[in-house]
Amino acid sequence: MKLIVGLGNPGAKYARNRHNIGFMALDRIADDHGFAPWRAKFQGQLSEGRLGREKVVLLKPETFMNNSGQSVGETMRFFKLEPADVIVIHDEIDLAPGKSRIKSGGGHAGHNGLRSIHAHIGEAYDRVRLGVGHPGRKELVPGYVLRDFPKADDDWLDDLLRGISDGAPHLADGDGGRFMNAVALRTAPPRSSTGTPKPSATPAVKHEAPAPADDRSALQKLVDRFK
C-alpha cells in the first residue's frame, strides 16, 4: 500500500493558491482513476483506490500547511505504513513554473509542510516537487505562494496536473523514470523542429535507362552545326 499526500491549506479561500498545487494534483488523480469519494478522516480528506497494481490512499491534510505532519503521522499509524511507503506532492519555489522533480529523503529546504512531516515521521519519504517559480526575494515568498495562480498559468498548470495523473500508476509502483516520462509527454511533447512530419530517411529515386551511345543531345547537335 502507498500513501500519497498532497500539501495545501483547506477551504475555498486557498483553493487556487500556488501553495495548494499538491491538493490540485490529488484531485486530478482521484477523478481520473476512479477513486472513492473523499471523506473526512485523520485530520484530513482521504480517498482510497488503486493505481496499477498498488492499493493507494490519497490524503489532503486539513491541519493547515504548517501542521501537515500531524495528519500524515496519524494516517501512517492507522494503516501500519513506513516512511518509505509515503509520497508527498508539494509546491517548489526553487523550480521554474511547470517543472517537476522527484526526490527521496533529504532536508525540507524551509518548506513548512515538509518541516512538519519531518518532525512527525522523519525524512525517509519520497517527494514530488512541482515548480511554481520564485518571486525574486526571500521576503516575498509567503505572499507569493499564498496567492492564486494567474489565468495566464492555466495552460501549463493543466498540462502538469494531467501529466502527474497520467504517471501516477508508475509513481505508486516506484518507477520514477516512467513517471517523469509521462509528465514530460504532457508538459513537453516531442515535435519536429519545423512542426512538419519528417521526410522518410531514404527518399525514392527514379532510375532511367542510359541513352544509346549514338543518341546525341539536342545541345550537342546545335554545337556541331556551327563548327
PDB file of all heavy atoms in Angstrom, residues 8-30:
ATOM      1  N   GLY A   8      -1.382  21.417   1.080  1.00  0.00           N
ATOM      2  CA  GLY A   8      -2.129  22.636   0.799  1.00  0.00           C
ATOM      3  C   GLY A   8      -2.810  23.111   2.061  1.00  0.00           C
ATOM      4  O   GLY A   8      -2.552  22.611   3.162  1.00  0.00           O
ATOM      5  N   ASN A   9      -3.674  24.095   1.909  1.00  0.00           N
ATOM      6  CA  ASN A   9      -4.478  24.615   3.010  1.00  0.00           C
ATOM      7  C   ASN A   9      -5.952  24.389   2.705  1.00  0.00           C
ATOM      8  O   ASN A   9      -6.373  24.502   1.550  1.00  0.00           O
ATOM      9  CB  ASN A   9      -4.218  26.110   3.202  1.00  0.00           C
ATOM     10  CG  ASN A   9      -2.848  26.391   3.783  1.00  0.00           C
ATOM     11  OD1 ASN A   9      -2.472  25.836   4.811  1.00  0.00           O
ATOM     12  ND2 ASN A   9      -2.083  27.249   3.125  1.00  0.00           N
ATOM     13  N   PRO A  10      -6.762  24.054   3.713  1.00  0.00           N
ATOM     14  CA  PRO A  10      -8.183  23.749   3.468  1.00  0.00           C
ATOM     15  C   PRO A  10      -9.016  25.007   3.246  1.00  0.00           C
ATOM     16  O   PRO A  10      -8.702  26.084   3.751  1.00  0.00           O
ATOM     17  CB  PRO A  10      -8.598  23.035   4.758  1.00  0.00           C
ATOM     18  CG  PRO A  10      -7.714  23.637   5.818  1.00  0.00           C
ATOM     19  CD  PRO A  10      -6.397  23.882   5.139  1.00  0.00           C
ATOM     20  N   GLY A  11     -10.100  24.848   2.497  1.00  0.00           N
ATOM     21  CA  GLY A  11     -11.047  25.940   2.318  1.00  0.00           C
ATOM     22  C   GLY A  11     -10.957  26.597   0.953  1.00  0.00           C
ATOM     23  O   GLY A  11      -9.892  26.640   0.323  1.00  0.00           O
ATOM     24  N   ALA A  12     -12.106  27.131   0.499  1.00  0.00           N
ATOM     25  CA  ALA A  12     -12.198  27.750  -0.819  1.00  0.00           C
ATOM     26  C   ALA A  12     -11.259  28.944  -0.963  1.00  0.00           C
ATOM     27  O   ALA A  12     -10.782  29.239  -2.071  1.00  0.00           O
ATOM     28  CB  ALA A  12     -13.647  28.178  -1.073  1.00  0.00           C
ATOM     29  N   LYS A  13     -10.972  29.625   0.133  1.00  0.00           N
ATOM     30  CA  LYS A  13     -10.089  30.801   0.097  1.00  0.00           C
ATOM     31  C   LYS A  13      -8.717  30.464  -0.473  1.00  0.00           C
ATOM     32  O   LYS A  13      -8.076  31.303  -1.102  1.00  0.00           O
ATOM     33  CB  LYS A  13      -9.959  31.352   1.518  1.00  0.00           C
ATOM     34  CG  LYS A  13      -8.977  32.492   1.679  1.00  0.00           C
ATOM     35  CD  LYS A  13      -8.897  32.921   3.126  1.00  0.00           C
ATOM     36  CE  LYS A  13      -7.829  34.011   3.328  1.00  0.00           C
ATOM     37  NZ  LYS A  13      -7.733  34.423   4.756  1.00  0.00           N
ATOM     38  N   TYR A  14      -8.271  29.240  -0.230  1.00  0.00           N
ATOM     39  CA  TYR A  14      -6.910  28.859  -0.626  1.00  0.00           C
ATOM     40  C   TYR A  14      -6.872  27.941  -1.851  1.00  0.00           C
ATOM     41  O   TYR A  14      -5.786  27.560  -2.293  1.00  0.00           O
ATOM     42  CB  TYR A  14      -6.230  28.116   0.535  1.00  0.00           C
ATOM     43  CG  TYR A  14      -6.158  28.907   1.812  1.00  0.00           C
ATOM     44  CD1 TYR A  14      -7.067  28.676   2.849  1.00  0.00           C
ATOM     45  CD2 TYR A  14      -5.191  29.886   1.995  1.00  0.00           C
ATOM     46  CE1 TYR A  14      -7.004  29.407   4.031  1.00  0.00           C
ATOM     47  CE2 TYR A  14      -5.116  30.615   3.171  1.00  0.00           C
ATOM     48  CZ  TYR A  14      -6.027  30.369   4.180  1.00  0.00           C
ATOM     49  OH  TYR A  14      -5.962  31.093   5.350  1.00  0.00           O
ATOM     50  N   ALA A  15      -8.034  27.594  -2.405  1.00  0.00           N
ATOM     51  CA  ALA A  15      -8.121  26.501  -3.373  1.00  0.00           C
ATOM     52  C   ALA A  15      -7.200  26.658  -4.581  1.00  0.00           C
ATOM     53  O   ALA A  15      -6.639  25.678  -5.065  1.00  0.00           O
ATOM     54  CB  ALA A  15      -9.565  26.328  -3.833  1.00  0.00           C
ATOM     55  N   ARG A  16      -7.031  27.898  -5.083  1.00  0.00           N
ATOM     56  CA  ARG A  16      -6.198  28.106  -6.278  1.00  0.00           C
ATOM     57  C   ARG A  16      -4.827  28.706  -5.941  1.00  0.00           C
ATOM     58  O   ARG A  16      -4.103  29.127  -6.842  1.00  0.00           O
ATOM     59  CB  ARG A  16      -6.912  28.994  -7.292  1.00  0.00           C
ATOM     60  CG  ARG A  16      -7.790  28.213  -8.261  1.00  0.00           C
ATOM     61  CD  ARG A  16      -8.301  29.093  -9.388  1.00  0.00           C
ATOM     62  NE  ARG A  16      -7.251  29.758 -10.144  1.00  0.00           N
ATOM     63  CZ  ARG A  16      -6.618  29.200 -11.189  1.00  0.00           C
ATOM     64  NH1 ARG A  16      -6.933  27.965 -11.572  1.00  0.00           N
ATOM     65  NH2 ARG A  16      -5.697  29.873 -11.845  1.00  0.00           N
ATOM     66  N   ASN A  17      -4.487  28.741  -4.665  1.00  0.00           N
ATOM     67  CA  ASN A  17      -3.155  29.247  -4.273  1.00  0.00           C
ATOM     68  C   ASN A  17      -2.051  28.378  -4.856  1.00  0.00           C
ATOM     69  O   ASN A  17      -2.200  27.158  -5.012  1.00  0.00           O
ATOM     70  CB  ASN A  17      -3.011  29.231  -2.758  1.00  0.00           C
ATOM     71  CG  ASN A  17      -3.711  30.352  -2.036  1.00  0.00           C
ATOM     72  OD1 ASN A  17      -3.548  30.494  -0.826  1.00  0.00           O
ATOM     73  ND2 ASN A  17      -4.499  31.149  -2.747  1.00  0.00           N
ATOM     74  N   ARG A  18      -0.901  28.983  -5.112  1.00  0.00           N
ATOM     75  CA  ARG A  18       0.267  28.200  -5.544  1.00  0.00           C
ATOM     76  C   ARG A  18       0.621  27.141  -4.500  1.00  0.00           C
ATOM     77  O   ARG A  18       1.067  26.049  -4.835  1.00  0.00           O
ATOM     78  CB  ARG A  18       1.458  29.137  -5.771  1.00  0.00           C
ATOM     79  CG  ARG A  18       1.289  30.105  -6.948  1.00  0.00           C
ATOM     80  CD  ARG A  18       2.523  30.972  -7.101  1.00  0.00           C
ATOM     81  NE  ARG A  18       2.447  31.831  -8.276  1.00  0.00           N
ATOM     82  CZ  ARG A  18       2.024  33.090  -8.251  1.00  0.00           C
ATOM     83  NH1 ARG A  18       1.605  33.631  -7.105  1.00  0.00           N
ATOM     84  NH2 ARG A  18       2.006  33.811  -9.358  1.00  0.00           N
ATOM     85  N   HIS A  19       0.436  27.483  -3.234  1.00  0.00           N
ATOM     86  CA  HIS A  19       0.750  26.565  -2.140  1.00  0.00           C
ATOM     87  C   HIS A  19      -0.126  25.310  -2.174  1.00  0.00           C
ATOM     88  O   HIS A  19       0.186  24.319  -1.512  1.00  0.00           O
ATOM     89  CB  HIS A  19       0.525  27.291  -0.807  1.00  0.00           C
ATOM     90  CG  HIS A  19       1.643  27.128   0.180  1.00  0.00           C
ATOM     91  ND1 HIS A  19       2.899  26.661  -0.125  1.00  0.00           N
ATOM     92  CD2 HIS A  19       1.682  27.394   1.526  1.00  0.00           C
ATOM     93  CE1 HIS A  19       3.664  26.647   0.953  1.00  0.00           C
ATOM     94  NE2 HIS A  19       2.946  27.069   1.972  1.00  0.00           N
ATOM     95  N   ASN A  20      -1.232  25.356  -2.917  1.00  0.00           N
ATOM     96  CA  ASN A  20      -2.196  24.251  -2.924  1.00  0.00           C
ATOM     97  C   ASN A  20      -2.064  23.339  -4.135  1.00  0.00           C
ATOM     98  O   ASN A  20      -2.937  22.519  -4.394  1.00  0.00           O
ATOM     99  CB  ASN A  20      -3.632  24.789  -2.861  1.00  0.00           C
ATOM    100  CG  ASN A  20      -4.106  24.992  -1.438  1.00  0.00           C
ATOM    101  OD1 ASN A  20      -3.362  25.535  -0.613  1.00  0.00           O
ATOM    102  ND2 ASN A  20      -5.311  24.567  -1.136  1.00  0.00           N
ATOM    103  N   ILE A  21      -0.977  23.424  -4.849  1.00  0.00           N
ATOM    104  CA  ILE A  21      -0.836  22.595  -6.052  1.00  0.00           C
ATOM    105  C   ILE A  21      -0.824  21.102  -5.704  1.00  0.00           C
ATOM    106  O   ILE A  21      -1.243  20.270  -6.508  1.00  0.00           O
ATOM    107  CB  ILE A  21       0.420  23.013  -6.851  1.00  0.00           C
ATOM    108  CG1 ILE A  21       0.370  22.418  -8.263  1.00  0.00           C
ATOM    109  CG2 ILE A  21       1.705  22.609  -6.124  1.00  0.00           C
ATOM    110  CD1 ILE A  21       1.436  22.963  -9.194  1.00  0.00           C
ATOM    111  N   GLY A  22      -0.407  20.751  -4.485  1.00  0.00           N
ATOM    112  CA  GLY A  22      -0.460  19.350  -4.054  1.00  0.00           C
ATOM    113  C   GLY A  22      -1.894  18.849  -3.947  1.00  0.00           C
ATOM    114  O   GLY A  22      -2.214  17.731  -4.381  1.00  0.00           O
ATOM    115  N   PHE A  23      -2.794  19.675  -3.389  1.00  0.00           N
ATOM    116  CA  PHE A  23      -4.216  19.327  -3.341  1.00  0.00           C
ATOM    117  C   PHE A  23      -4.761  19.148  -4.763  1.00  0.00           C
ATOM    118  O   PHE A  23      -5.522  18.210  -5.048  1.00  0.00           O
ATOM    119  CB  PHE A  23      -5.014  20.441  -2.648  1.00  0.00           C
ATOM    120  CG  PHE A  23      -5.024  20.382  -1.144  1.00  0.00           C
ATOM    121  CD1 PHE A  23      -4.124  19.606  -0.427  1.00  0.00           C
ATOM    122  CD2 PHE A  23      -5.949  21.144  -0.426  1.00  0.00           C
ATOM    123  CE1 PHE A  23      -4.142  19.576   0.962  1.00  0.00           C
ATOM    124  CE2 PHE A  23      -5.986  21.110   0.963  1.00  0.00           C
ATOM    125  CZ  PHE A  23      -5.074  20.328   1.659  1.00  0.00           C
ATOM    126  N   MET A  24      -4.392  20.080  -5.656  1.00  0.00           N
ATOM    127  CA  MET A  24      -4.886  20.029  -7.035  1.00  0.00           C
ATOM    128  C   MET A  24      -4.471  18.730  -7.718  1.00  0.00           C
ATOM    129  O   MET A  24      -5.257  18.115  -8.447  1.00  0.00           O
ATOM    130  CB  MET A  24      -4.345  21.221  -7.824  1.00  0.00           C
ATOM    131  CG  MET A  24      -4.795  22.571  -7.337  1.00  0.00           C
ATOM    132  SD  MET A  24      -3.992  23.885  -8.296  1.00  0.00           S
ATOM    133  CE  MET A  24      -4.335  25.315  -7.264  1.00  0.00           C
ATOM    134  N   ALA A  25      -3.228  18.325  -7.491  1.00  0.00           N
ATOM    135  CA  ALA A  25      -2.719  17.102  -8.111  1.00  0.00           C
ATOM    136  C   ALA A  25      -3.513  15.882  -7.630  1.00  0.00           C
ATOM    137  O   ALA A  25      -3.870  15.004  -8.427  1.00  0.00           O
ATOM    138  CB  ALA A  25      -1.232  16.931  -7.811  1.00  0.00           C
ATOM    139  N   LEU A  26      -3.802  15.811  -6.332  1.00  0.00           N
ATOM    140  CA  LEU A  26      -4.550  14.672  -5.802  1.00  0.00           C
ATOM    141  C   LEU A  26      -5.985  14.662  -6.317  1.00  0.00           C
ATOM    142  O   LEU A  26      -6.536  13.593  -6.607  1.00  0.00           O
ATOM    143  CB  LEU A  26      -4.535  14.685  -4.270  1.00  0.00           C
ATOM    144  CG  LEU A  26      -3.534  13.704  -3.634  1.00  0.00           C
ATOM    145  CD1 LEU A  26      -2.113  13.981  -4.083  1.00  0.00           C
ATOM    146  CD2 LEU A  26      -3.645  13.711  -2.128  1.00  0.00           C
ATOM    147  N   ASP A  27      -6.594  15.832  -6.441  1.00  0.00           N
ATOM    148  CA  ASP A  27      -7.949  15.881  -7.001  1.00  0.00           C
ATOM    149  C   ASP A  27      -7.974  15.333  -8.417  1.00  0.00           C
ATOM    150  O   ASP A  27      -8.895  14.589  -8.796  1.00  0.00           O
ATOM    151  CB  ASP A  27      -8.473  17.322  -6.990  1.00  0.00           C
ATOM    152  CG  ASP A  27      -8.876  17.794  -5.600  1.00  0.00           C
ATOM    153  OD1 ASP A  27      -9.158  16.945  -4.736  1.00  0.00           O
ATOM    154  OD2 ASP A  27      -8.886  19.026  -5.379  1.00  0.00           O
ATOM    155  N   ARG A  28      -6.956  15.670  -9.223  1.00  0.00           N
ATOM    156  CA  ARG A  28      -6.908  15.176 -10.602  1.00  0.00           C
ATOM    157  C   ARG A  28      -6.703  13.658 -10.626  1.00  0.00           C
ATOM    158  O   ARG A  28      -7.326  12.947 -11.403  1.00  0.00           O
ATOM    159  CB  ARG A  28      -5.801  15.900 -11.364  1.00  0.00           C
ATOM    160  CG  ARG A  28      -5.630  15.443 -12.825  1.00  0.00           C
ATOM    161  CD  ARG A  28      -6.908  15.614 -13.646  1.00  0.00           C
ATOM    162  NE  ARG A  28      -7.368  16.965 -13.684  1.00  0.00           N
ATOM    163  CZ  ARG A  28      -6.947  17.887 -14.573  1.00  0.00           C
ATOM    164  NH1 ARG A  28      -6.040  17.582 -15.460  1.00  0.00           N
ATOM    165  NH2 ARG A  28      -7.444  19.106 -14.552  1.00  0.00           N
ATOM    166  N   ILE A  29      -5.811  13.157  -9.784  1.00  0.00           N
ATOM    167  CA  ILE A  29      -5.580  11.707  -9.715  1.00  0.00           C
ATOM    168  C   ILE A  29      -6.864  10.978  -9.318  1.00  0.00           C
ATOM    169  O   ILE A  29      -7.249   9.979  -9.948  1.00  0.00           O
ATOM    170  CB  ILE A  29      -4.449  11.379  -8.722  1.00  0.00           C
ATOM    171  CG1 ILE A  29      -3.101  11.878  -9.261  1.00  0.00           C
ATOM    172  CG2 ILE A  29      -4.381   9.872  -8.448  1.00  0.00           C
ATOM    173  CD1 ILE A  29      -1.963  11.792  -8.245  1.00  0.00           C
ATOM    174  N   ALA A  30      -7.522  11.471  -8.276  1.00  0.00           N
ATOM    175  CA  ALA A  30      -8.746  10.819  -7.792  1.00  0.00           C
ATOM    176  C   ALA A  30      -9.826  10.794  -8.872  1.00  0.00           C
ATOM    177  O   ALA A  30     -10.497   9.777  -9.079  1.00  0.00           O
ATOM    178  CB  ALA A  30      -9.256  11.529  -6.542  1.00  0.00           C
TER     179      ALA A  30
END
